Amino acid sequence: GAVVSQHPSWVICKSGTSVKIECRSLDFQATTMFWYRQFPKQSLMLMATSNEGSKATYEQGVEKDKFLINHASLTLSTLTVTSAHPEDSSFYICSAGDRARGYGYTFGSGTRLTVV
Amino acid sequence: GEDVEQSLFLSVREGDSSVINCTYTDSSSTYLYWYKQEPGAGLQLLTYIFSNMDMKQDQRLTVLLNKKDKHLSLRIADTQTGDSAIYFCAESNQAGTALIFGKGTTLSVSS
């Protein structure tokens, strides 16, 4: 079945530095990639939607200059948390879909970001 | 806006059936999903149902959809300790759009 590889699984970084999270679709073309953030014991909050070759669409309240999304190819999307602060510590999950399929999205295994 | 509601906790004994319920508000929901999340992991798609279906069965999983009441349920037969996880109900009204998730139901299975 469809697999999305997300790296790193966890990362600890110093406040003020930037962190890049990668998601790769391994056996299908991810025309659309969704980036979510999940706080402990809470649901997934959609941050942004990106279509291959287009600029990402950010949800209200999500700073696009802080959370840079690149979806330059059909198999790779990246989320860069710039100038990270402790309040950015969270679990980030990507989800890839093939628009042609339309049902079911494949999720990455998530990245636990801790900013110290 | 759209909203998806779930009960937060469910506790069952091994071997019993588990029923996790979900309600949604968007009457134009076309696709409804159940995902499973184990601690520290991503989400695993368990099953999905189209809005023109009433029921779908897949091995130990049975999904029931009452479109009139906007109610979705997931039944897990012969629940095992390995089924302990958080289960998310999600919906979308259009192919290729982001999913709207409920807050998740934590299923605890005791032996």
Side-chain angles (χ1 to χ4, degrees):
Chain A
V3 175
V4 171
S5 174
Q6 182 171 347
H7 293 282
S9 300
W10 58 270
V11 57
I12 301 173
C13 71
K14 289 186 176 180
S15 190
T17 60
S18 296
V19 173
K20 180 185 282 189
I21 302 169
E22 288 190 353
C23 274
R24 292 180 185 274
S25 57
L26 297 187
D27 47 7
F28 68 101
Q29 294 185 329
T31 49
T32 306
M33 191 76 78
F34 304 99
W35 286 93
Y36 292 88
R37 183 174 180 177
Q38 185 180 31
F39 293 101
K41 299 189 188 302
Q42 291 196 28
S43 188
L44 283 74
M45 182 191 80
L46 178 67
M47 298 174 67
T49 302
S50 72
N51 293 301
E52 183 264 337
S54 303
K55 286 186 178 179
T57 302
Y58 289 80
E59 296 298 302
Q60 193 172 9
V62 178
E63 300 175 59
K64 60 183 178 185
D65 294 330
K66 181 166 189 60
F67 299 100
L68 300 178
I69 291 171
N70 184 288
H71 191 171
S73 80
L74 282 170
T75 58
L76 174 64
S77 178
T78 61
L79 166 67
T80 301
V81 183
T82 62
S83 187
H85 290 283
E87 57 266 29
D88 299 324
S89 298
S90 189
F91 192 60
Y92 293 87
I93 310 178
C94 65
S95 169
D98 182 346
R99 201 178 299 136
R101 292 171 60 208
Y103 54 88
Y105 297 85
T106 304
F107 282 78
S109 53
T111 298
R112 170 72 59 194
L113 170 64
T114 302
V115 185
V116 297
Chain B
E2 304 107 349
D3 196 20
V4 178
E5 297 283 341
Q6 297 177 242
S7 52
L8 294 181
F9 299 101
L10 177 64
S11 182
V12 301
R13 297 173 91 171
E14 194 173 22
D16 289 349
S17 291
S18 307
V19 179
I20 302 171
N21 295 300
C22 169
T23 57
Y24 58 97
T25 58
D26 187 357
S27 57
S28 63
S29 292
T30 306
Y31 308 90
L32 296 136
Y33 308 86
W34 283 104
Y35 283 87
K36 177 183 179 182
Q37 185 181 35
E38 298 187 12
L43 272 69
Q44 172 195 355
L45 176 64
L46 288 179
T47 187
Y48 62 90
I49 190 168
F50 295 116
S51 60
N52 61 359
M53 299 167 66
D54 297 323
M55 186 184 91
K56 182 178 180 181
Q57 185 159 2
D58 184 2
Q59 298 181 334
R60 292 192 296 124
L61 305 178
T62 303
V63 178
L64 294 178
L65 174 61
N66 182 328
K67 197 174 177 186
K68 174 175 168 288
D69 294 338
K70 301 192 191 70
H71 182 265
L72 182 74
S73 69
L74 173 69
R75 178 177 180 271
I76 305 172
D78 187 25
T79 312
Q80 303 297 307
T81 53
D83 295 324
S84 294
I86 302 176
Y87 291 81
F88 289 95
C89 169
E91 63 91 11
S92 71
N93 58 16
Q94 197 174 30
T97 60
L99 303 182
I100 307 297
F101 284 88
K103 285 186 165 52
T105 299
T106 299
L107 174 63
S108 174
V109 182
S110 57
S111 54

